[in-house]
Amino acid sequence: MNRSARLAGRMPENALDDIARPFAGDLLERTHLADRLTTYIDRLREGAVIAIDASWGEGKTWFARNWAASLQRTGHPVAYLDAFCQNDELDPFFIIAAELAILLDDGQGTGDTIRGEAARLMNALVPLTGRLAALKTVALQASGTPLHDPAAGKASFRTASEDTENWIENRLRAYPSEKALFANFRQSLGRIVAASGKPAVIVLDELDRCRPSFAIRFLERIRHYFDMPNLVFVLPVTRIQLYEAVKSVYGPDTDAGAYLHKFVNFFLSLPAFPQNDPSRLAHIRAFIGAVFTRHGMDTTEKKRQRFTELMTAWAALVPLSLQEIERATTFYIFADEPPEPGIATFLIVLKIRKPEWLKPLLENDRQTLAALSQGFLSKIVAGSRKLPMSPDGYFNALKTFFDSETSNRMQDREVINRFQNDVLDPNSFYIESLEEIAYLIRMIAGNLNMDITG
């Protein structure tokens, strides 16, 4: 068996074991994007760093993990790393080299070759401050002197100064050999990667959640030490978060976009549907249905259909991310599907997006009522007019009710009728006053167990 066959589909153990079939339940049809990316990296003649850009909660990790599993099944050596779970005291060079040694080990010594070359190079990479701190600690501990002893500190400072001068002099002499170490590492790794057949892929997830200096060091190490043919890095990120990391490290006036393009070949945005695109609504509706189905629940039940219709509209108009939609639906299920989905859906959206409003809203706080009606709901009502098949009467009825709460028009029959017809269930009891509506909203909030009193 040749080496590429032995490496085919190799991945560190247990990384993606829970994905039985890549892109199963792909409601957003992102399989096509994965196929295009696979074709692209297979045609590459050089290495690449590809960033998959999407907002928080839009499915970056889901896409990256499923694409990695798909690549594994087509014979690509794949490593999947959660950067946020790594020890950020380690140099990223160590982390990447260690993963590659595991990934590309063919059982005939290639892993040990990578480790050996990386260890020699890493020894030369250890920063001066780290070496001196280690020298001081070892010297004091060997003499039995407490680390906080002032006299020992002065003596160790003199020793450290001498060590610094000696170390710099030795480093200058060693510079040609260190250049050779760098060249040897790249040649050895490049030869092993080239022999792997299909491109080796490292998916580095959650980089934008890391401490900024650690994230930037990752990018710099990738470009400086691992930029070689047949080796591809994939970074699922929120681009704006990576921009902030660059500015945190190099200053607020840094052109973060220009800086990142030195290290990332291109950013690819996960496809998103326009807010009022019927296809987007259909996918949101299907996504909510999939959450119900995953919980073993019949999506044709009338109350769930009503929740699905309203949550689809809320999700498109607010807008909510896929993760927020899943949280909202799961919260509704966890609350044992309380009565009046029209009210429950509204409260759940507030809990997810405006949790600080819930308690003052239920306590009839005028400032909160005004912000809700004149700001939040006004925008929702305006957007609903552009939304195909939108329950715009529902949004108007909600806004009109909270307008009335603000103005103290507590016996407005038209407002009551609109709320009764467009928000409440057809079989709901007859509402005689706006006070009863306010009471009903508080009751549903209690059923939702939102930890709100009053």
Side-chain angles (χ1 to χ4, degrees):
M1 182 183 293
N2 61 32
R3 184 171 183 277
S4 61
R6 284 193 297 271
L7 288 174
R10 184 182 290 270
M11 179 177 292
E13 190 176 357
N14 299 325
L16 302 169
D17 285 353
D18 59 331
I19 300 179
R21 184 165 61 88
F23 291 101
D26 179 21
L27 299 176
L28 299 181
E29 300 178 1
R30 287 172 171 170
T31 311
H32 305 306
L33 175 61
D35 291 342
R36 284 169 49 206
L37 281 168
T38 301
T39 301
Y40 171 76
I41 66 171
D42 283 345
R43 289 175 177 170
L44 277 177
R45 294 295 178 266
E46 301 295 330
V49 178
I50 302 169
I52 307 294
D53 176 34
S55 301
W56 176 85
E58 288 296 333
K60 298 185 299 294
T61 292
W62 186 89
F63 175 82
R65 295 183 77 251
N66 278 270
W67 184 34
S70 175
L71 288 169
Q72 181 189 26
R73 284 158 175 75
T74 55
H76 295 78
V78 181
Y80 184 92
L81 289 177
D82 184 333
F84 190 63
C85 292
Q86 304 301 315
N87 180 355
D88 63 5
E89 297 301 321
L90 291 174
D91 191 295
F93 174 87
F94 175 92
I95 298 169
I96 299 170
E99 286 291 334
L100 283 171
I102 297 170
L103 179 66
L104 300 174
D105 189 0
D106 61 357
Q108 298 184 3
T110 54
D112 289 337
T113 298
I114 294 172
R115 292 184 192 96
E117 295 289 354
R120 284 185 283 275
L121 179 57
M122 182 137 189
N123 185 54
L125 288 175
V126 174
L128 173 61
T129 53
R131 287 177 181 270
L132 294 179
L135 284 170
K136 174 184 173 182
T137 301
V138 170
L140 290 175
Q141 288 178 337
S143 65
T145 307
L147 295 180
H148 59 273
D149 188 306
K154 292 178 182 178
S156 65
F157 180 80
R158 288 192 297 272
T159 302
S161 298
E162 296 170 2
D163 288 338
T164 301
E165 184 177 344
N166 292 335
W167 188 86
I168 292 174
E169 184 178 347
N170 291 334
R171 187 72 182 266
L172 288 171
R173 288 197 183 99
Y175 177 67
S177 62
E178 289 179 1
K179 283 181 66 176
L181 285 174
F182 175 72
N184 289 341
F185 171 78
R186 286 180 54 84
Q187 288 171 5
S188 296
L189 181 60
R191 184 172 60 253
I192 293 169
V193 170
S196 66
K198 294 188 175 184
V201 179
I202 294 185
V203 179
L204 188 61
D205 200 5
E206 304 288 11
L207 189 66
D208 49 350
R209 292 181 60 199
C210 294
R211 183 162 47 88
S213 58
F214 186 59
I216 299 308
R217 279 210 320 276
F218 246 119
L219 292 175
E220 292 172 345
R221 293 303 197 222
I222 288 171
R223 178 58 75 194
H224 294 153
Y225 297 99
F226 299 96
D227 180 17
M228 59 189 63
N230 228 35
L231 184 55
V232 177
F233 289 84
V234 178
L235 316 176
V237 295
T238 299
R239 188 191 313 206
I240 191 67
Q241 289 298 111
L242 221 48
Y243 282 4
E244 292 302 317
V246 172
K247 291 180 180 181
S248 174
V249 173
Y250 291 110
D253 296 329
T254 304
D255 186 338
Y259 176 85
L260 285 175
H261 278 292
K262 296 177 181 178
F263 302 97
V264 179
N265 292 86
F266 66 87
F267 283 85
L268 179 69
S269 297
L270 278 183
F273 295 97
Q275 181 173 307
N276 59 353
D277 188 330
S279 297
R280 172 177 169 78
L281 299 181
H283 282 84
I284 293 173
R285 194 174 293 110
F287 185 79
I288 295 170
V291 176
F292 278 123
T293 300
R294 196 164 66 241
H295 286 80
M297 308 179 84
D298 181 7
T299 58
T300 63
E301 194 271 333
K302 286 186 178 180
K303 193 163 63 172
R304 285 174 207 139
Q305 287 184 331
R306 174 70 168 158
F307 173 87
T308 300
E309 174 194 12
L310 296 177
M311 186 54 71
T312 297
W314 278 114
L317 292 168
V318 173
L320 300 178
S321 70
L322 293 176
Q323 197 167 71
E324 288 171 327
I325 296 169
E326 182 173 17
R327 281 175 56 205
T329 308
T330 303
F331 190 81
Y332 179 71
I333 294 169
F334 180 76
D336 201 22
E337 302 181 280
E340 303 297 349
I343 296 175
T345 308
F346 162 68
L347 291 172
I348 289 171
V349 169
L350 284 189
K351 181 176 178 65
I352 289 174
R353 272 306 180 88
K354 300 287 185 180
E356 70 279 8
W357 284 5
L358 280 168
K359 190 174 188 296
L361 171 68
L362 297 176
E363 293 174 346
N364 220 33
D365 178 77
R366 295 304 173 87
Q367 186 175 355
T368 303
L369 288 170
L372 173 67
S373 177
Q374 298 166 22
F376 184 69
L377 285 176
S378 289
K379 293 178 181 178
I380 295 296
V381 168
S384 70
R385 298 190 186 109
K386 305 173 186 177
L387 206 63
M389 301 176 65
S390 168
D392 53 339
Y394 163 80
F395 294 114
N396 273 304
L398 278 175
K399 183 181 184 306
T400 304
F401 167 72
F402 286 108
D403 285 342
S404 299
E405 287 281 272
T406 306
S407 62
N408 269 334
R409 292 184 292 123
M410 295 303 293
Q411 301 301 327
D412 191 325
R413 190 66 239 175
E414 181 183 352
V415 174
I416 296 169
N417 288 341
R418 291 178 71 175
F419 199 94
Q420 180 96 53
N421 296 331
D422 293 324
V423 177
L424 301 183
D425 282 350
N427 298 325
S428 185
F429 62 87
Y430 182 73
I431 298 292
E432 294 186 354
S433 71
L434 295 179
E435 287 180 340
E436 289 184 4
I437 295 176
Y439 172 79
L440 185 58
I441 291 175
R442 287 196 295 271
M443 184 187 76
I444 300 301
N447 289 346
L448 288 168
N449 191 25
M450 290 180 165
D451 297 323
I452 297 168
T453 58

